[in-house]
Structures are given as structure tokens and as C-alpha cells.
């Protein structure tokens, strides 16, 4: 979406006055509102978006206000402008409701409000109905997005905040490049029974225009089964019954390490994260060679880059290769997948040692964590991080905590509201509460950072 920003004084022009004071323009009101905007620190506005009001494009319009793109302190934000004929006397209540949603990680982040304005995070994306019509996602990708949306509904149910408009979900969910979230809390309430999960599930999967589109893109259970799952949750809105909906609709796989996850669930810092992400579906790779080769590929790369390279590597063979098959593959062919020359040498060195029976994985599996790391790091190209990945995703050791992993550092910073990335000592200190299940905690932190890691 093209963004062309102009100073807020542009609202004095006839073309834009109706956006600032919709639908009845009064010069005195225009002046007051421009002063109010400047006090909030809003400096610029951009008339772009999918909705057109007369000759102006905006992000959205409701019975309370109009939403436009703007700038505050140099940052792009979403600005909601209270309509002159709004039934709301000010934006205070909506601001309060948005902050309640934010406490459980739902909705655009609240920034500031005044009588006539609500400033919040701008989430670039499109309404769920528009996304559904043209999505090129795989069935797996579609299920993942729908799962994340229902999980937000469950978080709202647990916070006793009823959105109020999710039975007409088409306009109230943004599917974005970096995140998907529920928006528009103007009709929300904490004074009525929450029905977010039931309303959204019906709207997405049963009888609506959106549901018909979704049904053409992914296979779903029968209508009767969906209704029964909704009724069961409505009668008893527990986490267990919610997961029956997501698993029953095949939006996610059943979880692993349930006992360990339950222990982590008691920690308030992880509780919301676990609710939002859902059951632990950590991928365990029992093939030691595969785990180490994948870990070498992932070293010092973003998740997206590493996954793309790993997929190209796999495509050479059709299934994960043996050390002998890799040794027969030319260096050029391996480099063409995106694997660096250095990593090609590491992978071939590992393959050669395995073929020469210099590595005994059965013996290594019987060692304790420190001994496994000491043994594996003797192999060229395998450092502490790679050895820790092996412990987690191959040997299923449950209390591994890679303090040098950037995703984990960022996760600790965000969970504990630190100003900077923590050092190893700080990470050990904060992670102590998750012993003896820190591997599972790491998986949730990676997921929260949009990092898939190897599992």
C-alpha cells in the first residue's frame, strides 16, 4: 500500500475535512481537532487504504469512527477519529477495552488516546475475507492462520472480554505479513458473557460467505461435528475443550510433552504464551545424522532462509539422504542449494566420519548432557548450539537452554520486559524457574518469536 504523508494541517482543506469531522463539518470543530492531534504528537496523515469516502481513501470506517494512517514521533500508526455523530462521547472506554485485550497479547498495541482520537499500532495486512478470497497459502498455512485467530478468541474469553462483533468476523480480523489479530474493540464489553470462540468458529466454518470460501480451500469435519465441538466448549469453556475444537477441525496436531507443558503453564510469564501458541508440537528427529546436518544448515541463518535451503537440499534426494549419498554429491550441487562452502565441508566431514565408524551415536545417547556436548563438539563444524539442538530434537533431553541463541535472547528480553538483550548469566537466572523443562520453554519462546527452529 502506497503511503504519502502530509502534515495534519491538510485537514483544513475541503477534501479532507469530512474525514476529521464526519459526517457534519464545522470549522470550529476542525480547528479544535487539529490542536488536539498536535497535543497527541500526531504530525502527519496519509490517505491510503481499501475504503473510499468521497475521494479520500482510509483504512476503515465504523459507527464510532474513521481509521486513517498517520505518523507520531516518526512512527507509522493507525489513528481512529471519533465521528461527530458517534454514540460514544469520547474514546476513553474503547481505549480501556483495547488495553484489556493487549494484556493477553490480542489486538493492535494501544499507544495513546484523547477525547476524539485513539492511537494504536498499525498492522499492515488485509481483512480476513479479502485474504481468504485470494490467499495462495497451502492448506497447512491456512489452518495455521485460522488456528492463531481462534487462539486469540480463547485468550479474550479467558480475560472475560467479549468482542461483540465476531459473528460478523469478516471485517474484524487482520491477516498481516508479520501477525494476524482481532481488531475493532468499539463494541466490546466486560459486562456480558464472553462468546468469542463460539462466535468466531461459527463465522469461519459454518454458513457464512467466509465459511464457504474456507470450505473450498481446506477439508473440514461435518457440520454436525463442528456444532457439537462448539456446544461442548460453550457449556464448559476450558482449555481442554478449546483444544478439542482446534484439533477436531485439524487446525493443529495433538500436543506432546503434556505433563511438562502443564508444569510450565503454572508460570505466569509463560501462561499467556502457551495459551496463544497451543499444544507443544515439537518435531523430534530420531535420525542423529539428519538432526546434525539440519542444525549445521540452520547455523547463523534466519528461519526463513534456513528452511528454504533445507528444502532445496532435501529436493536433491527426495527423502533425507544417507551419509553415503551426500558423499557422492558434488560440492557444486550442494552449494547450489544455498549451503555455504564452509558448511558443505562440515557436512561432508561429518558424513565421512560416520561412514568410517568414528562416531558412535548409540554410545553418545547414553552420556549426560555435558558429555554429549563435549563429544559432539570434537566434530568440525559442531559447536555448543548445534550440540544443544541435537540434545533437544534428537535425544529429547528436556532441560536444555541455549544461551547463545538469538531467538531465545529476544524471547527472554520480551517476556521479562528487559531493555537490552540479556547476557548468558541473566538468561540462566530467568530460565531457572522453568527447570527441568527448559527445552519445552525454548520451543514456546521460538514460536513466540516466529522462529520455527529445527522443530
Amino acid at each position: 500500500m502506497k503511503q504519502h504523508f502530509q502534515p495534519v494541517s491538510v485537514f483544513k482543506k475541503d477534501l479532507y475535512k469530512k474525514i476529521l469531522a464526519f459526517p457534519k463539518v464545522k470549522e470550529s470543530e476542525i480547528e479544535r481537532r487539529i490542536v488536539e492531534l498536535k497535543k497527541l504528537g500526531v504530525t502527519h496523515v496519509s490517505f491510503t487504504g481499501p475504503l473510499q469516502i468521497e475521494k479520500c481513501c482510509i483504512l476503515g470506517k465504523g459507527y464510532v469512527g474513521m481509521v486513517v494512517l498517520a505518523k507520531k514521533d516518526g512512527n507509522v500508526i493507525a489513528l481512529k477519529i471519533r465521528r461527530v455523530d458517534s454514540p460514544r462521547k469520547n474514546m476513553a472506554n474503547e481505549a480501556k477495552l483495547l488495553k484489556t485485550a493487549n494484556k493477553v497479547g490480542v489486538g493492535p498495541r494501544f499507544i495513546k488516546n484523547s477525547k476524539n482520537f485513539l492511537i494504536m499500532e498499525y498492522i499492515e495486512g488485509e481483512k480476513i475475507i479479502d485474504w481468504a478470497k485470494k490467499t495462495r497459502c497451502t492448506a497447512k498455512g491456512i489452518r495455521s492462520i485460522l488456528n492463531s485467530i481462534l487462539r486469540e478468541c480463547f485468550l479474550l474469553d479467558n480475560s472475560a472480554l467479549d468482542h461483540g462483533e465476531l459473528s460478523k468476523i469478516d471485517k474484524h480480523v487482520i491477516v498481516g505479513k508479520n501477525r494476524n489479530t482481532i481488531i475493532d474493540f468499539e463494541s466490546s464489553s466486560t459486562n456480558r458473557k464472553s462468546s468469542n470462540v463460539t462466535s468466531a468458529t461459527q463465522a469461519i466454518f459454518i454458513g457464512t460467505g467466509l465459511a464457504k470460501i474456507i470450505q473450498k480451500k481446506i477439508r473440514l469435519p461435518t457440520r454436525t461435528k463442528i456444532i457439537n465441538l462448539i456446544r461442548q466448549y460453550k457449556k464448559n469453556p476450558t482449555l481442554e475443550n478449546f483444544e478439542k475444537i482446534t484439533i477436531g477441525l485439524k487446525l493443529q496436531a495433538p500436543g506432546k510433552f503434556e505433563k511438562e507443558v502443564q508444569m510450565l503453564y503454572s508460570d505466569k510469564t509463560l501462561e499467556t504464551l502457551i495459551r496463544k501458541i497451543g499444544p507443544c508440537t515439537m518435531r523430534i528427529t530420531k535420525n542423529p545424522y539428519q538432526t546434525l546436518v539440519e542444525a549445521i544448515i540452520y547455523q547463523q541463518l534466519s528461519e526463513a532462509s534456513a528452511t528454504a535451503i533445507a528444502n532445496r537440499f532435501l529436493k536433491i534426494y527426495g527423502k533425507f539422504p544417507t551419509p553415503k549419498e551426500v558423499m557422492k554429491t558434488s560440492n557444486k550441487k550442494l552449494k547450489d542449494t544455498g549451503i555455504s562452502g564452509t558448511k558443505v565441508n562440515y557436512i561432508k566431514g561429518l558424513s565421512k566420519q560416520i561412514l568410517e565408524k568414528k562416531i558412535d551415536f548409540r554410545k553418545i545417547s547414553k552420556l549426560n548432557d555435558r558429555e554429549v556436548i563435549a563429544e559432539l563438539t570434537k566434530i568440525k563444524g559442531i559447536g555448543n548450539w548445534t550440540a544443544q539442538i541435537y540434545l533437544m530434537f534428537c535425544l529429547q533431553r528436556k532441560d536444555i537452554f541455549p544461551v547463545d541463541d538469538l531467538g531465545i535472547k529476544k524471547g527472554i528480553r520480551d517476556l521479562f520486559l528487559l531493555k537490552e538483550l540479556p547476557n548468558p548469566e541473566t538468561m540462566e537466572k530467568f530460565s531457572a524457574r522453568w527447570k527441568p523443562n527448559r527445552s519445552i520453554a525454548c520451543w514456546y519462546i521460538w514460536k513466540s518469536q516466529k522462529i520455527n527452529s529445527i522443530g
Side-chain angles (χ1 to χ4, degrees), residues 1-259:
M1 183 171 66
K2 191 175 180 181
Q3 300 174 1
H4 173 63
F5 287 93
Q6 304 176 69
V8 292
S9 57
V10 75
F11 280 124
K12 293 180 181 179
K13 294 183 179 181
D14 289 340
L15 180 62
Y16 306 116
K17 285 179 180 178
K18 204 164 187 178
I19 304 300
L20 188 61
F22 186 89
K24 297 176 182 179
V25 175
K26 288 184 180 179
E27 292 299 326
S28 57
E29 185 67 14
I30 295 292
E31 292 294 337
R32 279 196 297 270
R33 290 191 173 203
I34 289 175
V35 170
E36 192 176 334
L37 277 176
K38 289 179 177 179
K39 284 183 179 179
L40 286 170
V42 178
T43 55
H44 292 79
V45 64
S46 177
F47 298 102
T48 52
L51 187 64
Q52 189 165 329
I53 302 295
E54 295 184 358
K55 294 182 180 180
C56 290
C57 291
I58 62 173
L59 298 177
K61 173 178 173 285
Y63 74 94
V64 170
M66 325 280 275
V67 183
V68 298
L69 203 62
K71 273 190 178 182
K72 172 180 164 57
D73 303 325
N75 299 313
V76 177
I77 50 100
L79 175 70
K80 187 164 188 177
I81 305 168
R82 190 178 71 88
R83 291 171 51 152
V84 174
D85 63 348
S86 169
R88 306 279 192 260
K89 292 182 179 180
N90 56 56
M91 302 299 285
N93 190 56
E94 187 173 343
K96 180 182 177 182
L97 293 165
L98 179 56
K99 284 188 274 188
T100 300
N102 284 175
K103 285 179 182 177
V104 291
V106 178
R109 179 175 54 87
F110 168 81
I111 298 173
K112 205 169 184 180
N113 75 285
S114 62
K115 177 183 177 181
N116 294 303
F117 301 102
L118 172 61
I119 302 172
M120 53 198 155
E121 172 192 11
Y122 168 59
I123 299 173
E124 187 174 359
E126 52 194 346
K127 299 289 175 67
I128 187 172
I129 186 71
D130 298 321
W131 162 80
K133 286 175 182 176
K134 60 185 181 182
T135 182
R136 293 182 181 177
C137 286
T138 61
K140 182 180 178 181
I142 292 170
R143 292 178 193 278
S144 175
I145 287 171
L146 297 179
N147 185 40
S148 73
I149 292 164
L150 287 189
R151 302 208 78 82
E152 286 208 345
C153 294
F154 179 66
L155 290 170
L156 291 179
D157 278 354
N158 270 264
S159 67
L161 174 64
D162 184 54
H163 184 276
E165 295 286 343
L166 295 183
S167 58
K168 299 173 283 189
I169 202 170
D170 293 14
K171 299 177 182 179
H172 302 291
V173 167
I174 289 286
V175 178
K177 292 181 179 179
N178 300 312
R179 64 177 290 212
N180 319 302
T181 196
I182 297 166
I183 59 170
D184 300 331
F185 290 86
E186 61 190 26
S187 300
S188 302
S189 175
T190 54
N191 297 321
R192 59 178 180 252
K193 186 177 179 181
S194 298
S195 61
N196 301 291
V197 169
T198 54
S199 296
T201 305
Q202 288 174 331
I204 295 171
F205 300 105
I206 301 175
T208 64
L210 175 61
K212 289 175 183 176
I213 296 169
I214 295 297
Q215 287 163 11
K216 290 177 182 177
K217 295 181 181 288
I218 59 173
R219 293 186 65 182
L220 294 170
T222 63
R223 178 189 176 97
T224 301
K225 182 175 181 179
I226 296 173
I227 290 172
N228 286 339
L229 288 169
I230 294 171
R231 283 176 178 167
Q232 189 175 7
Y233 174 82
K234 189 174 183 178
K235 186 177 180 181
N236 189 13
T238 61
L239 177 60
E240 182 182 0
N241 284 335
F242 172 72
E243 299 301 3
K244 285 180 180 177
I245 292 177
T246 59
I247 293 169
L249 291 173
K250 298 183 179 178
L251 302 182
Q252 65 178 33
K256 300 173 184 175
F257 306 110
E258 291 184 11
K259 192 180 293 183

Side-chain angles (χ1 to χ4, degrees), residues 338-387:
I339 302 174
S340 70
T342 302
K343 288 184 180 180
V344 167
N345 290 335
Y346 291 161
I347 292 168
K348 285 206 166 181
L350 171 66
S351 304
K352 185 179 179 183
Q353 288 195 54
I354 291 171
L355 289 171
E356 293 175 351
K357 301 188 187 303
K358 292 181 178 178
I359 302 173
D360 187 342
F361 286 116
R362 187 170 294 180
K363 180 181 176 182
I364 289 172
S365 69
K366 295 176 182 178
L367 302 175
N368 65 37
D369 296 345
R370 287 185 180 180
E371 291 169 338
V372 169
I373 292 172
E375 196 66 28
L376 288 178
T377 51
K378 292 176 184 177
I379 303 167
K380 193 171 183 180
I382 295 178
N384 281 347
W385 180 85
T386 305

Side-chain angles (χ1 to χ4, degrees), residues 408-436:
I408 301 299
K409 286 182 179 179
K410 288 180 177 179
I412 294 290
R413 178 197 63 192
D414 296 346
L415 275 174
F416 296 98
L417 305 176
L418 306 177
K419 291 182 179 179
E420 299 177 349
L421 291 177
N423 58 33
E425 292 76 20
T426 302
M427 292 178 72
E428 288 286 354
K429 174 187 170 184
F430 281 115
S431 70
R433 67 187 67 200
W434 302 323
K435 289 183 177 182

